[in-house]
Amino acid sequence: STWRRSTPRPDLDVIVSTTLTGSNADIIGEALASVVAHVDRCIVIDTGAKDDTLEVARRVAGDKLVVREFPWKNDFAAARNFALQAAAEAGATWAVTVDTDERLVFGSGFDLRKELARHARSTVLLVSDEAGTYAKERIVRLPASVRWNGPTHEVLEGQRIGASETLTGVRFRELPKDPQALQRKFQRDVAILKKYVKQHARDPRWFYYLGASHHDLGEYAAAIDAYRTCAELGGWPEQGAWACYRAAECCGKLGRWGEAIHLCAAGLAVRPSTAELAWLAAFASYKVGRHEDALAWSHMSIANGLFEGKGASFARIGFRNPVALYEGPYDVQRWAWKALGHAAAAAAAERKYEEARRAREAANGPA
């Protein structure tokens, strides 16, 4: 496809969306429809569509559509780098990633061009998911000074410290996959990442996502091992702490609550501001009948949470559990106080629980 509309004014940024697609005729239309009004072009990277995917894209994007072909190599990073190159060759200033199973959700009256102009010093902008639990690198300034790496769970490398921010006023939503599709995806990722970690044995990132793939398959013991390796290798503290959190979750699935407490403590040594770790340690303590410990851990969680704590003062890119940051610690407290026979304290914790829950829903929407 070629660009047939008039070229945007030279004093304005040119914004394009990029979408990788195979045979996705059933979902690509809504993906493009969610962004088409906010961009100058919609670049679709055809990795081998066998159905009428491109016809659907053309109906939605009209003369904004640009199609480029890239034979699939079982490597998401390679395809994403090709998309950035195609966007730059199309004269774009910004590339907005929208996968076929994603939908961008813009706030009322949101002007993407004006917002991007306000981030003139940024090379990468992140977009949060609808629940506010994590953010993805979804907008890249061109020509790109960054590059995707990794065959799956790919990472955007080359970002300068302080050169990426989270864009407010827009979020993304991912379509749910049916159980069979999810199972195939997780099995594919485990197979890819088992090979990849052998070649990159000192890089914690790939062990984290190997753990996540085992976790999603319900292979909790294997997930714990991979998460532990991620944390032990060091690297990005936020990810290392969260690896401990996820490993502790897996321990809970296996009934290994004492081990979960130790993992949470190890994660707090990596990144003390991770309030979710203290909350999970509180919950694990309650599960093993250590009620006073549960109260102590819950107070730590509150101190670094987002309801009555200082959580907002700690920079954070992703990896969060909103419930743990708001009402979770009070939930533990109300049950711990009941177990200790303190009805008044339990009732006070119940009231705080409800206040914090309402505050979370006001900030992020229902869980």
Side-chain angles (χ1 to χ4, degrees), residues 112-178:
L112 181 59
R113 197 179 307 278
K114 287 184 179 179
E115 289 301 312
L116 293 180
R118 293 179 54 242
H119 292 274
R121 297 176 61 85
S122 297
T123 57
V124 176
L125 291 169
L126 295 94
V127 176
S128 295
D129 74 313
E130 274 193 312
T133 56
Y134 68 105
K136 286 184 178 181
E137 297 99 337
R138 277 297 174 259
I139 305 176
V140 176
R141 177 179 287 281
L142 300 172
S145 60
V146 292
R147 186 170 181 81
W148 291 100
N149 181 38
T152 185
H153 292 290
E154 56 279 11
V155 59
L156 195 58
E157 296 182 335
Q159 301 179 59
R160 300 192 316 274
I161 295 175
S164 61
E165 302 174 75
T166 300
L167 191 65
T168 58
V170 57
R171 294 198 174 189
F172 73 89
R173 174 169 57 87
E174 290 183 290
L175 297 182
K177 291 181 174 64
D178 64 66

Side-chain angles (χ1 to χ4, degrees), residues 208-233:
Y208 177 87
Y209 284 107
L210 176 58
S213 299
H214 280 304
H215 194 162
D216 289 328
L217 286 169
E219 298 169 351
Y220 300 121
I224 291 167
D225 288 342
Y227 285 139
R228 280 185 183 276
T229 302
C230 170
E232 290 166 359
L233 285 172

Side-chain angles (χ1 to χ4, degrees), residues 41-58:
R41 301 175 182 130
C42 296
I43 299 180
V44 170
I45 308 300
D46 177 14
T47 63
K50 305 298 184 185
D51 58 8
D52 61 346
T53 292
L54 299 182
E55 287 72 16
V56 173
R58 191 166 289 109

Side-chain angles (χ1 to χ4, degrees), residues 3 20 66 78 82 112 123 164 168 174 209 220 276 287 308 329 364:
W3 177 242
L20 310 180
V66 178
F82 178 84
L112 181 59
T123 57
S164 61
T168 58
E174 290 183 290
Y209 284 107
Y220 300 121
E276 293 94 333
K287 293 292 288 185
E308 292 183 310
N364 300 302

